[in-house]
Amino acid sequence: MKLNYTFLFFIFFIVTFGQEKITTVPLDSIPKENKVFLENNNQNLYYVTNNVFYKKTADKTISYNAISLGNLTHVDIYNPLQIVLFYKDFNTIILVDNQLNETHKIEGNTIDDIINFDCIGLAIQNQIWFYDFISQKIGLYNFNTNTYNYLSTPLTHKIVDYATDYNYFYWIDDEKNGYRISIFGKINSLGKLPEYDSIQILSDENCIFKREEKLIFLDIKKNKQYEINISKNSFDKFYYKNGILSIFTPNKVINYKILLP
């Protein structure tokens, strides 16, 4: 019996304290200076100051200003050649090119059968993902033809976090259930996600989330967690893209090179 207890304790020790860790390599840090940083990638720095959107390159800084539309609620830089800006106060989506020239303006209030845009993101083939918070449906809007179609029936739970790519819209509801819907309307469950303070969905297979002052990579398919080694300084939020992890502290943005499993 003693041997069995010892064996059980050994297994408990491995499960509890044997969590694998992901190493990071510090690259640089940038003072925040009242800027809301969005992305630092491919030598381009994107940020917002006083609701003005900026892109800083090695030799110049350019901006897009639509203060008349109220607060800049969301920015999607999935494709740097076609950036999506969302002004929820005026139910308006603006698309700009890589020089921040406006290319399209979508006003939800002027569309037949008004769309009340909430969650938005760039999709494939000149389309925008959207969630209409009145109908509670997910759909696609084609900004070249000014047409749209709904892909889902009304959702039964509130969306609390979401992410998009060309082919999928991912979301987590208020019961921590994860889902994705394809451009063809097929919905898949990602299962129940752990408790978190903030999260970034990377795909249907993995995500990164913050819990207290720890950053954790989750392999959703294997239900396996890896703690990411970063500075233990307090941080507000984080962002990952193309092997670069940005940590937003109260005073600066720290960028790390990271290799995920």
Side-chain angles (χ1 to χ4, degrees), residues 26-52:
L27 295 176
D28 57 23
S29 64
I30 306 168
K32 290 180 74 171
E33 298 175 340
N34 297 320
K35 299 180 178 70
V36 179
F37 285 94
L38 303 170
E39 185 175 320
N40 182 20
N41 197 32
N42 295 327
Q43 307 302 313
N44 296 324
L45 179 64
Y46 300 92
Y47 60 91
V48 175
T49 301
N50 297 325
N51 281 316
V52 179

PDB file of all heavy atoms in Angstrom, residues 26-52:
ATOM      1  N   PRO A  26      14.420  37.928 -25.997  1.00  0.00           N
ATOM      2  CA  PRO A  26      14.079  39.353 -26.086  1.00  0.00           C
ATOM      3  C   PRO A  26      14.696  39.987 -27.334  1.00  0.00           C
ATOM      4  O   PRO A  26      15.854  39.742 -27.661  1.00  0.00           O
ATOM      5  CB  PRO A  26      14.677  39.946 -24.810  1.00  0.00           C
ATOM      6  CG  PRO A  26      14.841  38.788 -23.881  1.00  0.00           C
ATOM      7  CD  PRO A  26      15.146  37.613 -24.753  1.00  0.00           C
ATOM      8  N   LEU A  27      13.916  40.789 -28.038  1.00  0.00           N
ATOM      9  CA  LEU A  27      14.391  41.464 -29.234  1.00  0.00           C
ATOM     10  C   LEU A  27      14.624  42.953 -28.988  1.00  0.00           C
ATOM     11  O   LEU A  27      15.701  43.470 -29.232  1.00  0.00           O
ATOM     12  CB  LEU A  27      13.383  41.282 -30.374  1.00  0.00           C
ATOM     13  CG  LEU A  27      13.174  39.858 -30.889  1.00  0.00           C
ATOM     14  CD1 LEU A  27      12.089  39.838 -31.948  1.00  0.00           C
ATOM     15  CD2 LEU A  27      14.482  39.296 -31.443  1.00  0.00           C
ATOM     16  N   ASP A  28      13.595  43.650 -28.523  1.00  0.00           N
ATOM     17  CA  ASP A  28      13.709  45.086 -28.268  1.00  0.00           C
ATOM     18  C   ASP A  28      12.541  45.523 -27.397  1.00  0.00           C
ATOM     19  O   ASP A  28      11.655  44.732 -27.081  1.00  0.00           O
ATOM     20  CB  ASP A  28      13.737  45.885 -29.575  1.00  0.00           C
ATOM     21  CG  ASP A  28      12.521  45.627 -30.453  1.00  0.00           C
ATOM     22  OD1 ASP A  28      11.469  45.201 -29.930  1.00  0.00           O
ATOM     23  OD2 ASP A  28      12.592  45.848 -31.669  1.00  0.00           O
ATOM     24  N   SER A  29      12.550  46.784 -27.018  1.00  0.00           N
ATOM     25  CA  SER A  29      11.436  47.360 -26.280  1.00  0.00           C
ATOM     26  C   SER A  29      11.195  48.768 -26.799  1.00  0.00           C
ATOM     27  O   SER A  29      12.118  49.450 -27.244  1.00  0.00           O
ATOM     28  CB  SER A  29      11.704  47.370 -24.778  1.00  0.00           C
ATOM     29  OG  SER A  29      12.805  48.205 -24.467  1.00  0.00           O
ATOM     30  N   ILE A  30       9.933  49.195 -26.743  1.00  0.00           N
ATOM     31  CA  ILE A  30       9.529  50.488 -27.292  1.00  0.00           C
ATOM     32  C   ILE A  30       8.737  51.236 -26.226  1.00  0.00           C
ATOM     33  O   ILE A  30       7.775  50.693 -25.679  1.00  0.00           O
ATOM     34  CB  ILE A  30       8.648  50.299 -28.535  1.00  0.00           C
ATOM     35  CG1 ILE A  30       9.336  49.403 -29.570  1.00  0.00           C
ATOM     36  CG2 ILE A  30       8.282  51.642 -29.154  1.00  0.00           C
ATOM     37  CD1 ILE A  30       8.414  48.935 -30.678  1.00  0.00           C
ATOM     38  N   PRO A  31       9.122  52.483 -25.901  1.00  0.00           N
ATOM     39  CA  PRO A  31       8.319  53.278 -24.951  1.00  0.00           C
ATOM     40  C   PRO A  31       6.907  53.496 -25.493  1.00  0.00           C
ATOM     41  O   PRO A  31       6.727  53.750 -26.688  1.00  0.00           O
ATOM     42  CB  PRO A  31       9.088  54.599 -24.855  1.00  0.00           C
ATOM     43  CG  PRO A  31      10.459  54.296 -25.367  1.00  0.00           C
ATOM     44  CD  PRO A  31      10.303  53.213 -26.385  1.00  0.00           C
ATOM     45  N   LYS A  32       5.914  53.423 -24.625  1.00  0.00           N
ATOM     46  CA  LYS A  32       4.526  53.557 -25.086  1.00  0.00           C
ATOM     47  C   LYS A  32       4.157  55.001 -25.415  1.00  0.00           C
ATOM     48  O   LYS A  32       3.494  55.267 -26.417  1.00  0.00           O
ATOM     49  CB  LYS A  32       3.563  52.978 -24.043  1.00  0.00           C
ATOM     50  CG  LYS A  32       3.643  51.452 -23.955  1.00  0.00           C
ATOM     51  CD  LYS A  32       2.688  50.884 -22.931  1.00  0.00           C
ATOM     52  CE  LYS A  32       1.260  50.926 -23.418  1.00  0.00           C
ATOM     53  NZ  LYS A  32       0.338  50.181 -22.523  1.00  0.00           N
ATOM     54  N   GLU A  33       4.524  55.933 -24.558  1.00  0.00           N
ATOM     55  CA  GLU A  33       4.314  57.367 -24.832  1.00  0.00           C
ATOM     56  C   GLU A  33       2.890  57.669 -25.313  1.00  0.00           C
ATOM     57  O   GLU A  33       2.676  58.300 -26.351  1.00  0.00           O
ATOM     58  CB  GLU A  33       5.330  57.843 -25.879  1.00  0.00           C
ATOM     59  CG  GLU A  33       6.783  57.714 -25.424  1.00  0.00           C
ATOM     60  CD  GLU A  33       7.766  58.074 -26.511  1.00  0.00           C
ATOM     61  OE1 GLU A  33       7.364  58.051 -27.702  1.00  0.00           O
ATOM     62  OE2 GLU A  33       8.918  58.359 -26.188  1.00  0.00           O
ATOM     63  N   ASN A  34       1.909  57.197 -24.558  1.00  0.00           N
ATOM     64  CA  ASN A  34       0.492  57.451 -24.856  1.00  0.00           C
ATOM     65  C   ASN A  34       0.032  56.859 -26.185  1.00  0.00           C
ATOM     66  O   ASN A  34      -1.010  57.246 -26.719  1.00  0.00           O
ATOM     67  CB  ASN A  34       0.194  58.959 -24.848  1.00  0.00           C
ATOM     68  CG  ASN A  34       0.427  59.586 -23.496  1.00  0.00           C
ATOM     69  OD1 ASN A  34       0.093  58.989 -22.463  1.00  0.00           O
ATOM     70  ND2 ASN A  34       1.018  60.772 -23.471  1.00  0.00           N
ATOM     71  N   LYS A  35       0.788  55.929 -26.724  1.00  0.00           N
ATOM     72  CA  LYS A  35       0.382  55.239 -27.945  1.00  0.00           C
ATOM     73  C   LYS A  35      -0.280  53.910 -27.586  1.00  0.00           C
ATOM     74  O   LYS A  35       0.115  53.247 -26.642  1.00  0.00           O
ATOM     75  CB  LYS A  35       1.589  54.969 -28.851  1.00  0.00           C
ATOM     76  CG  LYS A  35       2.343  56.203 -29.327  1.00  0.00           C
ATOM     77  CD  LYS A  35       3.501  55.788 -30.217  1.00  0.00           C
ATOM     78  CE  LYS A  35       4.266  56.996 -30.759  1.00  0.00           C
ATOM     79  NZ  LYS A  35       5.040  57.690 -29.719  1.00  0.00           N
ATOM     80  N   VAL A  36      -1.286  53.541 -28.352  1.00  0.00           N
ATOM     81  CA  VAL A  36      -1.880  52.210 -28.241  1.00  0.00           C
ATOM     82  C   VAL A  36      -1.280  51.372 -29.365  1.00  0.00           C
ATOM     83  O   VAL A  36      -1.688  51.483 -30.526  1.00  0.00           O
ATOM     84  CB  VAL A  36      -3.412  52.260 -28.359  1.00  0.00           C
ATOM     85  CG1 VAL A  36      -3.995  50.856 -28.265  1.00  0.00           C
ATOM     86  CG2 VAL A  36      -3.997  53.150 -27.271  1.00  0.00           C
ATOM     87  N   PHE A  37      -0.275  50.555 -29.029  1.00  0.00           N
ATOM     88  CA  PHE A  37       0.419  49.778 -30.049  1.00  0.00           C
ATOM     89  C   PHE A  37      -0.435  48.596 -30.489  1.00  0.00           C
ATOM     90  O   PHE A  37      -1.076  47.928 -29.680  1.00  0.00           O
ATOM     91  CB  PHE A  37       1.764  49.282 -29.522  1.00  0.00           C
ATOM     92  CG  PHE A  37       2.809  50.360 -29.462  1.00  0.00           C
ATOM     93  CD1 PHE A  37       3.022  51.070 -28.293  1.00  0.00           C
ATOM     94  CD2 PHE A  37       3.575  50.665 -30.569  1.00  0.00           C
ATOM     95  CE1 PHE A  37       3.976  52.070 -28.231  1.00  0.00           C
ATOM     96  CE2 PHE A  37       4.534  51.656 -30.524  1.00  0.00           C
ATOM     97  CZ  PHE A  37       4.737  52.364 -29.342  1.00  0.00           C
ATOM     98  N   LEU A  38      -0.409  48.330 -31.789  1.00  0.00           N
ATOM     99  CA  LEU A  38      -1.195  47.243 -32.353  1.00  0.00           C
ATOM    100  C   LEU A  38      -0.318  46.122 -32.877  1.00  0.00           C
ATOM    101  O   LEU A  38      -0.596  44.953 -32.623  1.00  0.00           O
ATOM    102  CB  LEU A  38      -2.074  47.776 -33.495  1.00  0.00           C
ATOM    103  CG  LEU A  38      -3.025  48.914 -33.106  1.00  0.00           C
ATOM    104  CD1 LEU A  38      -3.646  49.526 -34.336  1.00  0.00           C
ATOM    105  CD2 LEU A  38      -4.093  48.409 -32.149  1.00  0.00           C
ATOM    106  N   GLU A  39       0.735  46.487 -33.599  1.00  0.00           N
ATOM    107  CA  GLU A  39       1.585  45.446 -34.186  1.00  0.00           C
ATOM    108  C   GLU A  39       2.932  46.038 -34.562  1.00  0.00           C
ATOM    109  O   GLU A  39       3.028  47.187 -35.006  1.00  0.00           O
ATOM    110  CB  GLU A  39       0.909  44.852 -35.425  1.00  0.00           C
ATOM    111  CG  GLU A  39       1.664  43.685 -36.038  1.00  0.00           C
ATOM    112  CD  GLU A  39       0.907  43.056 -37.193  1.00  0.00           C
ATOM    113  OE1 GLU A  39      -0.324  42.921 -37.101  1.00  0.00           O
ATOM    114  OE2 GLU A  39       1.562  42.699 -38.185  1.00  0.00           O
ATOM    115  N   ASN A  40       3.977  45.237 -34.388  1.00  0.00           N
ATOM    116  CA  ASN A  40       5.330  45.614 -34.779  1.00  0.00           C
ATOM    117  C   ASN A  40       5.873  44.465 -35.603  1.00  0.00           C
ATOM    118  O   ASN A  40       6.330  43.466 -35.063  1.00  0.00           O
ATOM    119  CB  ASN A  40       6.195  45.875 -33.546  1.00  0.00           C
ATOM    120  CG  ASN A  40       7.600  46.329 -33.908  1.00  0.00           C
ATOM    121  OD1 ASN A  40       7.842  46.795 -35.010  1.00  0.00           O
ATOM    122  ND2 ASN A  40       8.531  46.169 -32.981  1.00  0.00           N
ATOM    123  N   ASN A  41       5.777  44.584 -36.925  1.00  0.00           N
ATOM    124  CA  ASN A  41       6.099  43.438 -37.766  1.00  0.00           C
ATOM    125  C   ASN A  41       6.632  43.909 -39.121  1.00  0.00           C
ATOM    126  O   ASN A  41       6.194  44.910 -39.658  1.00  0.00           O
ATOM    127  CB  ASN A  41       4.832  42.591 -37.969  1.00  0.00           C
ATOM    128  CG  ASN A  41       5.150  41.201 -38.476  1.00  0.00           C
ATOM    129  OD1 ASN A  41       6.178  40.636 -38.159  1.00  0.00           O
ATOM    130  ND2 ASN A  41       4.254  40.667 -39.268  1.00  0.00           N
ATOM    131  N   ASN A  42       7.597  43.155 -39.663  1.00  0.00           N
ATOM    132  CA  ASN A  42       8.159  43.454 -40.992  1.00  0.00           C
ATOM    133  C   ASN A  42       8.637  44.900 -41.118  1.00  0.00           C
ATOM    134  O   ASN A  42       8.400  45.576 -42.124  1.00  0.00           O
ATOM    135  CB  ASN A  42       7.120  43.151 -42.082  1.00  0.00           C
ATOM    136  CG  ASN A  42       6.774  41.686 -42.153  1.00  0.00           C
ATOM    137  OD1 ASN A  42       7.612  40.828 -41.910  1.00  0.00           O
ATOM    138  ND2 ASN A  42       5.526  41.390 -42.474  1.00  0.00           N
ATOM    139  N   GLN A  43       9.275  45.397 -40.058  1.00  0.00           N
ATOM    140  CA  GLN A  43       9.835  46.747 -40.027  1.00  0.00           C
ATOM    141  C   GLN A  43       8.768  47.838 -40.017  1.00  0.00           C
ATOM    142  O   GLN A  43       9.082  49.021 -40.174  1.00  0.00           O
ATOM    143  CB  GLN A  43      10.785  46.965 -41.218  1.00  0.00           C
ATOM    144  CG  GLN A  43      11.873  45.916 -41.358  1.00  0.00           C
ATOM    145  CD  GLN A  43      12.739  45.817 -40.113  1.00  0.00           C
ATOM    146  OE1 GLN A  43      13.171  46.817 -39.588  1.00  0.00           O
ATOM    147  NE2 GLN A  43      12.996  44.597 -39.658  1.00  0.00           N
ATOM    148  N   ASN A  44       7.501  47.457 -39.855  1.00  0.00           N
ATOM    149  CA  ASN A  44       6.415  48.435 -39.782  1.00  0.00           C
ATOM    150  C   ASN A  44       5.796  48.416 -38.399  1.00  0.00           C
ATOM    151  O   ASN A  44       5.512  47.345 -37.853  1.00  0.00           O
ATOM    152  CB  ASN A  44       5.339  48.131 -40.825  1.00  0.00           C
ATOM    153  CG  ASN A  44       5.856  48.252 -42.240  1.00  0.00           C
ATOM    154  OD1 ASN A  44       6.679  49.116 -42.537  1.00  0.00           O
ATOM    155  ND2 ASN A  44       5.381  47.395 -43.121  1.00  0.00           N
ATOM    156  N   LEU A  45       5.582  49.587 -37.847  1.00  0.00           N
ATOM    157  CA  LEU A  45       4.989  49.724 -36.516  1.00  0.00           C
ATOM    158  C   LEU A  45       3.621  50.393 -36.668  1.00  0.00           C
ATOM    159  O   LEU A  45       3.504  51.446 -37.284  1.00  0.00           O
ATOM    160  CB  LEU A  45       5.897  50.573 -35.626  1.00  0.00           C
ATOM    161  CG  LEU A  45       5.436  50.837 -34.197  1.00  0.00           C
ATOM    162  CD1 LEU A  45       5.367  49.544 -33.412  1.00  0.00           C
ATOM    163  CD2 LEU A  45       6.382  51.811 -33.510  1.00  0.00           C
ATOM    164  N   TYR A  46       2.595  49.750 -36.116  1.00  0.00           N
ATOM    165  CA  TYR A  46       1.234  50.275 -36.200  1.00  0.00           C
ATOM    166  C   TYR A  46       0.754  50.650 -34.800  1.00  0.00           C
ATOM    167  O   TYR A  46       0.898  49.871 -33.858  1.00  0.00           O
ATOM    168  CB  TYR A  46       0.294  49.233 -36.796  1.00  0.00           C
ATOM    169  CG  TYR A  46       0.662  48.784 -38.191  1.00  0.00           C
ATOM    170  CD1 TYR A  46       1.484  47.675 -38.393  1.00  0.00           C
ATOM    171  CD2 TYR A  46       0.182  49.461 -39.313  1.00  0.00           C
ATOM    172  CE1 TYR A  46       1.821  47.251 -39.671  1.00  0.00           C
ATOM    173  CE2 TYR A  46       0.508  49.047 -40.601  1.00  0.00           C
ATOM    174  CZ  TYR A  46       1.326  47.939 -40.770  1.00  0.00           C
ATOM    175  OH  TYR A  46       1.665  47.527 -42.037  1.00  0.00           O
ATOM    176  N   TYR A  47       0.154  51.832 -34.682  1.00  0.00           N
ATOM    177  CA  TYR A  47      -0.340  52.253 -33.376  1.00  0.00           C
ATOM    178  C   TYR A  47      -1.434  53.308 -33.545  1.00  0.00           C
ATOM    179  O   TYR A  47      -1.663  53.838 -34.642  1.00  0.00           O
ATOM    180  CB  TYR A  47       0.792  52.782 -32.498  1.00  0.00           C
ATOM    181  CG  TYR A  47       1.537  53.978 -33.036  1.00  0.00           C
ATOM    182  CD1 TYR A  47       1.133  55.284 -32.732  1.00  0.00           C
ATOM    183  CD2 TYR A  47       2.666  53.816 -33.846  1.00  0.00           C
ATOM    184  CE1 TYR A  47       1.823  56.381 -33.229  1.00  0.00           C
ATOM    185  CE2 TYR A  47       3.351  54.908 -34.345  1.00  0.00           C
ATOM    186  CZ  TYR A  47       2.924  56.187 -34.032  1.00  0.00           C
ATOM    187  OH  TYR A  47       3.604  57.274 -34.525  1.00  0.00           O
ATOM    188  N   VAL A  48      -2.132  53.588 -32.442  1.00  0.00           N
ATOM    189  CA  VAL A  48      -3.208  54.569 -32.421  1.00  0.00           C
ATOM    190  C   VAL A  48      -2.921  55.592 -31.333  1.00  0.00           C
ATOM    191  O   VAL A  48      -2.544  55.225 -30.213  1.00  0.00           O
ATOM    192  CB  VAL A  48      -4.574  53.906 -32.158  1.00  0.00           C
ATOM    193  CG1 VAL A  48      -5.688  54.955 -32.026  1.00  0.00           C
ATOM    194  CG2 VAL A  48      -4.914  52.912 -33.262  1.00  0.00           C
ATOM    195  N   THR A  49      -3.083  56.859 -31.646  1.00  0.00           N
ATOM    196  CA  THR A  49      -2.984  57.945 -30.669  1.00  0.00           C
ATOM    197  C   THR A  49      -4.144  58.901 -30.899  1.00  0.00           C
ATOM    198  O   THR A  49      -4.333  59.393 -32.017  1.00  0.00           O
ATOM    199  CB  THR A  49      -1.657  58.711 -30.795  1.00  0.00           C
ATOM    200  OG1 THR A  49      -0.563  57.803 -30.594  1.00  0.00           O
ATOM    201  CG2 THR A  49      -1.566  59.816 -29.750  1.00  0.00           C
ATOM    202  N   ASN A  50      -4.938  59.139 -29.867  1.00  0.00           N
ATOM    203  CA  ASN A  50      -6.096  60.044 -29.963  1.00  0.00           C
ATOM    204  C   ASN A  50      -7.000  59.691 -31.138  1.00  0.00           C
ATOM    205  O   ASN A  50      -7.451  60.564 -31.880  1.00  0.00           O
ATOM    206  CB  ASN A  50      -5.622  61.496 -30.067  1.00  0.00           C
ATOM    207  CG  ASN A  50      -4.872  61.950 -28.828  1.00  0.00           C
ATOM    208  OD1 ASN A  50      -5.197  61.547 -27.716  1.00  0.00           O
ATOM    209  ND2 ASN A  50      -3.849  62.766 -29.028  1.00  0.00           N
ATOM    210  N   ASN A  51      -7.230  58.389 -31.315  1.00  0.00           N
ATOM    211  CA  ASN A  51      -8.114  57.864 -32.364  1.00  0.00           C
ATOM    212  C   ASN A  51      -7.595  58.079 -33.783  1.00  0.00           C
ATOM    213  O   ASN A  51      -8.349  57.917 -34.751  1.00  0.00           O
ATOM    214  CB  ASN A  51      -9.530  58.442 -32.241  1.00  0.00           C
ATOM    215  CG  ASN A  51     -10.334  57.750 -31.162  1.00  0.00           C
ATOM    216  OD1 ASN A  51     -10.303  56.528 -31.057  1.00  0.00           O
ATOM    217  ND2 ASN A  51     -11.028  58.517 -30.348  1.00  0.00           N
ATOM    218  N   VAL A  52      -6.328  58.448 -33.914  1.00  0.00           N
ATOM    219  CA  VAL A  52      -5.689  58.532 -35.229  1.00  0.00           C
ATOM    220  C   VAL A  52      -4.818  57.290 -35.410  1.00  0.00           C
ATOM    221  O   VAL A  52      -4.047  56.929 -34.522  1.00  0.00           O
ATOM    222  CB  VAL A  52      -4.834  59.805 -35.367  1.00  0.00           C
ATOM    223  CG1 VAL A  52      -4.160  59.843 -36.732  1.00  0.00           C
ATOM    224  CG2 VAL A  52      -5.692  61.041 -35.159  1.00  0.00           C
TER     225      VAL A  52
END
